[in-house]
Amino acid sequence: PRQPAKTLWYDRPRYVYLEFCVEDSRDVKVVIENERLVFSCKNADGVEFYNEINLYARVNSKDSREKRSDRSITCFMRKWKEKVAWPRITKENIK
């Protein structure tokens, strides 16, 4: 059974950061598209995590990347329109 990973996000003038809180992640796959992000991995217990996020606004997928640490995977996504604040991370107005 797949479940969504706990996710934190930060809005900055040039970038949006998404942090997926999964300790000891394995088989990490991150696909950053212009208007969507797909994340999947497994933890040490073999639990599968999967998040698919339709982004609030367009990002530059070629100038975006991710970084894995022991406790989380952080995605750095370059905003298409810099210095425009995002009120939320998704297109949908839901939590």
Side-chain angles (χ1 to χ4, degrees):
R2 297 194 304 192
Q3 63 186 51
K6 180 181 177 217
T7 310
L8 304 171
W9 75 285
Y10 317 94
D11 182 31
R12 298 293 178 263
R14 297 176 77 186
Y15 284 88
V16 173
Y17 299 90
L18 265 175
E19 185 176 1
F20 297 100
C21 304
V22 180
E23 292 191 20
D24 301 325
S25 56
R26 276 185 249 175
D27 301 334
V28 176
K29 291 184 185 76
V30 178
V31 179
I32 300 172
E33 298 172 355
N34 289 342
E35 296 182 7
R36 188 173 80 123
L37 178 138
V38 179
F39 165 82
S40 66
C41 77
K42 291 181 183 172
N43 68 5
D45 299 329
V47 177
E48 274 189 63
F49 294 93
Y50 180 84
N51 294 57
E52 186 171 329
I53 299 168
N54 291 313
L55 300 170
Y56 174 76
R58 195 167 175 200
V59 296
N60 183 344
S61 57
K62 291 181 176 44
D63 194 16
S64 300
R65 56 195 166 85
E66 74 275 346
K67 183 178 171 216
R68 185 179 165 272
S69 70
D70 291 342
R71 296 179 164 261
S72 66
I73 299 93
T74 305
C75 301
F76 311 86
M77 297 180 293
R78 180 82 177 257
K79 290 181 177 179
W80 200 259
K81 291 182 181 168
E82 293 183 5
K83 298 181 180 154
V84 175
W86 289 22
R88 58 189 177 274
I89 194 66
T90 61
K91 270 194 191 326
E92 301 84 27
N93 192 6
I94 54 173
K95 259 199 157 211

